[in-house]
Each structure stands twice: as structure tokens, then as C-alpha cells.
Amino acid sequence: ACVCHTGAVQCVPWNQTGVPAYNWSAETQGIVLSSFFYGYGLTQALGGYGAGLLGGKLVLGSGLLLSSALTLLVPRAAELGAGFLVGLQALLGSAQGVIFPAQYTLWAKWAPPLERSWLMNVADAGCTFGTFSALLVAGFICQSLGWPLVFYIFGGVGCAWCLCWFLLVYEDPASHPWISAGEREYIVASLAHQGSSHGLSLPLGAMAKSLPLWAIAIACFCTDWLFYMLLTSMPTFMSSVLHFDLSENGLLSSLPYIGNGLGHILAGLLADFLLARRVLGTAAVRKLFSALGMLLPSIFLVAVPYIGCSSTAAVILLTLALTIISMTGAGININHIDIAPRYAGFLLGVTNTLGIISGIIAPTAVGLLVSQVIRGHHPQAYPWKKAQLCSHTDCFLCTESKFSPSQPPHSTRTPRSPLQARTPLWGRGMSQAGGTAPHGPVRVYSGMG
């Protein structure tokens, strides 16, 4: 549904027979598109808090159901005027803002530590492939049936999917009636150290003093800055500077989406492999994947202005950047569950809010830097070097602050049974205030475990 909202204005002016068309200015279009993100940022932390109290299944399903229902109203809102559409977009953003925090609350109850990277990254890959597929389908529907049908079809499918969600999804393994006893025992035993979800009160003081949380928050801000810069600025650079028509080069245009989706899956598999084989500890894996996922894409971004007029090379660099940035999915994104599984949804909401702010600021900053380039104040590569600077700073903060370097990389203890062999030993210490973890050193502040 979110994809349709961002493409709504682009579909409107096609003026097919019987299909309404609106001559909105570029400024109005920008307000309509950005209004979604203002609503989206307001409910992130609230969604995580609500998921911890009411359950991730209820909050996530309700957010999706509400956003799907609101999607059906988009054509009518457009008929009433741009102001109504802006208000509806903000409501849609608010409804969808609870989804990812609620998802993290569910993952904290379902994903065993040694399978967590792969499971969560597969879900992220689904977002990428879903976006790509929805863009293709929406374009076909716009051309053949008219743009209003995009919202009616996608909204209807979303409502039907929510029905399946409430019928088939369960809050935790203990309440699921269909999984085997062995699987239930394995998941419950591997997550036993985490405790139950949080109550009405939150240890906000301990969270505010937590250096690992601050490191994750800064990393999320800088990573999203780079990610949004890649998504918003690179297509503009390719079309205005390289004169590359993305719509006429379908294969090249799809490569960044395919690379990002596959990158998420491969990064999750590799991270869990390193942890399961004890090649690296939890702290080392999170640092490595976070650093590579931020540093290498920034280098590729800086290289783009120096490749000349080769649009193919630009697409290759963009694809590599979006593929490798997916490594952060097995790094900073999972750290919320590593340091405080009971509060993972709320913490994800807080850090995601910062990421959304960067997504609002980044395009504006790029526009200002590019205007300086046009006036001759800076070399052509300057805007892209700013992204590299953010990523370098981000990697340093994550490496220095996120984990305690004085702890051993992993435990030398031998599990006593096959079940315990699959259960990460570092988790036993993470639920204690100020405790350290033998398998992966993680500093947890009082009240956060």
C-alpha cells in the first residue's frame, strides 16, 4: 500500500478516458508525498510500546488493516482536493508506523539467536521484493485500467491478507497449536533468558544513559541518510547528468532492487553461519556487518561522479551499494534485540524515528549541496563525499561504543546437549543488569535486560 501512495501523483496525470486527472504543481506533489513520512515518524515509538503491552500480532495486524482500508479512500480523497489527500497520507503513515516496531516485538519471541539474522533479513528482503513487484504491477494497472484501480486492488488485497494474519499468526510459540513439541521446546529454551514483554513502565533513564543504544541510534540515522540518498539522489543524478532513461532500461533499473533483496538473504545466512560455527562472536559479527554495510556503499557513492558518462557503470555502482548496505540488516538492525529483547519494539521505534528524520533531511541537504555545485562553489563529487563522511563517522562510533572490547569474543564452554548446542550461551548473561555475555560481549544497563 505504501508503494502506491508514493506513486499516486505520478499515475494521476495520464488522463485516460474516464480517469480523473489533476494538474498539481511540483510543490504540491512534494507535500503530498512527504506527508506520509510525517505521520509515519509519529507512531514509531508508540507502536513499539503498544506491541510490548498488547502484543505484536494485534498491533501489526491492526496497523496493516487500517492502512489497507485507508488505501481504498485515496481516489476519493484526491477528488476532494490535495488537502484531503495530504491528511489521508498522514493517517496512512501513522497506521504503517507501528508495523516494524511490532514486527521486532514478534521476532524477539520467535527467532532463536543463532537463526535470528537469517529470519529477520528474509523479512527485510520481502519488503524489497514487494516494493519492486508492486511498482511493476502498479505501472501495468495504471496503463491498462487506470490509476484509481491501483488503490482499490492493493487496498482490497491488503484487507484480505490481514484476515489471514489474524487467523494464522500467533503471538508466541507457547500459544501456537500446530508447531511440533520439539520446535516449541527449542524456541522457548533458546529465548528463556529474555523474560516476558515489558509492562506499563519503561526504564527510560537507563535507556537514555545506554551507550550501546546511542551507538545504534547514531548508526541508524547515518545508515538511513546514506540509504535515502542512494534512493532519491542517484536516480536524479543519472537522469539529469547521465541522461539515462530508467523507464526504457527495465533490466538495469531492476538490478538495485534485486541486489538489495538478495543481499539481505545472503547477509543473514553468513552472519548466522559465523555465529553458529563460532568463527566470530556476536559483538564482532554485528560490528563487521555494520561497518562493511556503511563504509563500502559510501565509497561506491563517492565513485559515481568520477566514472564519466557511463550509465551502465553508474547502475553497477548503485547496485553494489544497495546490495552491500543490506549487510546492516545483520548488524545494527538486530542489535535492538541483542541488547534489550524485552524492549526491542520500543527501541526500534525510537531509532527508526531518527532514521525517518534523516530521510527527510537528506534530500534537502543534497539539493542545497547540488545548488552550490551549480554556482561553482564546490567540485562535482562534494555532495557524495558528505555521505561518505557520515558513514565513516558512523562506523567509528559503532565500533568504539556499541560493545565492550575487553570481553572475550565467544564462550569456550561446551554445550551439554544438541538442543543446548543450538542455544547461544551469550544470551544467559544479557538479561542481567550490567552483565556481560560470554558468547558475544554486550553491555546491558540497569533495567534494560
Side-chain angles (χ1 to χ4, degrees):
C2 176
V3 175
C4 299
H5 310 324
T6 58
V9 179
Q10 299 173 6
C11 293
V12 166
W14 290 3
N15 199 21
Q16 298 170 323
T17 304
V19 176
Y22 308 103
N23 295 319
W24 291 334
S25 65
E27 181 182 2
T28 301
Q29 295 180 33
I31 294 174
V32 170
L33 295 177
S34 63
S35 59
F36 174 88
F37 294 97
Y38 290 109
Y40 188 69
L42 289 177
T43 55
Q44 292 284 327
L46 182 62
Y49 178 74
L53 284 178
L54 305 175
K57 172 187 174 180
L58 177 62
V59 173
L60 193 154
S62 299
L64 281 173
L65 180 60
L66 178 58
S67 62
S68 299
L70 292 174
T71 300
L72 298 171
L73 303 178
V74 170
R76 178 57 180 165
E79 291 180 12
L80 295 175
F84 286 91
L85 186 56
V86 167
L88 183 63
Q89 284 279 86
L91 290 176
L92 277 164
S94 300
Q96 293 196 12
V98 305
I99 292 176
F100 279 102
Q103 176 184 315
Y104 269 58
T105 300
L106 284 174
W107 280 128
K109 300 176 181 179
W110 275 97
L114 293 185
E115 300 175 24
R116 185 175 288 157
S117 301
W118 180 74
L119 291 173
M120 296 180 66
N121 276 314
V122 167
D124 288 340
C127 295
T128 300
F129 290 136
T131 301
F132 174 62
S133 302
L135 285 171
L136 294 179
V137 174
F140 172 77
I141 296 174
C142 281
Q143 292 180 357
S144 58
L145 302 176
W147 67 266
L149 267 295
V150 174
F151 299 96
Y152 295 141
I153 294 174
F154 278 48
V157 171
C159 291
W161 186 89
C162 288
L163 178 63
C164 298
W165 171 269
F166 286 114
L167 292 176
L168 301 177
V169 173
Y170 290 83
E171 185 67 26
D172 51 51
S175 61
H176 201 294
W178 301 325
I179 62 175
S180 65
E183 183 180 6
R184 181 184 295 108
E185 180 184 357
Y186 162 58
I187 298 176
V188 172
S190 65
L191 302 176
H193 64 278
Q194 295 183 176
S196 60
S197 298
H198 62 77
L200 289 174
S201 62
L202 295 174
L204 297 179
M207 293 177 182
K209 298 175 183 178
S210 172
L211 293 182
L213 180 58
W214 276 105
I216 294 173
I218 296 172
C220 288
F221 179 90
C222 295
T223 302
D224 283 349
W225 177 290
L226 178 58
F227 182 74
Y228 285 117
M229 181 176 287
L230 284 168
L231 289 184
T232 60
S233 303
M234 288 299 292
T236 303
F237 173 82
M238 293 174 65
S239 61
S240 60
V241 178
L242 301 180
H243 306 291
F244 178 73
D245 191 343
L246 294 173
S247 62
E248 295 181 359
N249 295 270
L251 178 60
L252 289 178
S253 302
S254 65
L255 286 179
Y257 292 97
I258 297 174
N260 186 261
L262 294 178
H264 272 102
I265 297 174
L266 294 176
L269 287 172
L270 180 58
D272 283 342
F273 173 82
L274 295 176
L275 290 173
R277 296 298 180 92
R278 296 177 179 246
V279 177
L280 296 172
T282 304
V285 168
R286 302 297 183 236
K287 289 180 184 180
L288 176 65
F289 279 68
S290 298
L292 292 178
M294 291 180 284
L295 177 62
L296 294 181
S298 67
I299 294 175
F300 295 139
L301 190 63
V302 172
V304 168
Y306 299 101
I307 62 176
C309 296
S310 175
S311 57
T312 301
V315 171
I316 291 175
L317 288 175
L318 176 60
T319 300
L320 290 174
L322 285 175
T323 300
I324 296 176
I325 200 174
S326 61
M327 294 183 69
T328 58
I332 56 173
N333 290 355
I334 304 181
N335 266 170
H336 304 81
I337 300 180
D338 289 337
I339 67 170
R342 293 183 62 196
Y343 308 101
F346 177 76
L347 297 181
L348 189 278
V350 173
T351 58
N352 233 15
T353 301
L354 295 176
I356 294 167
I357 293 174
S358 73
I360 296 174
I361 297 175
T364 303
V366 171
L368 292 175
L369 292 171
V370 171
S371 65
Q372 292 176 350
V373 172
I374 294 175
R375 291 194 297 267
H377 292 179
H378 297 288
Q380 185 182 21
Y382 183 76
W384 320 113
K385 288 182 179 180
K386 296 296 288 184
Q388 183 185 22
L389 177 62
C390 288
S391 296
H392 275 287
T393 305
D394 188 11
C395 293
F396 174 78
L397 288 170
C398 289
T399 303
E400 295 300 320
S401 302
K402 193 175 299 181
F403 299 105
S404 171
S406 62
Q407 301 298 329
H410 55 73
S411 174
T412 58
R413 294 168 58 185
T414 303
R416 291 170 293 178
S417 68
L419 177 62
Q420 290 175 329
R422 301 182 67 186
T423 304
L425 301 178
W426 52 266
R428 309 180 197 280
M430 285 173 53
S431 62
Q432 300 176 3
T436 57
H439 184 68
V442 182
R443 187 186 309 169
V444 183
Y445 287 78
S446 177
M448 289 191 63

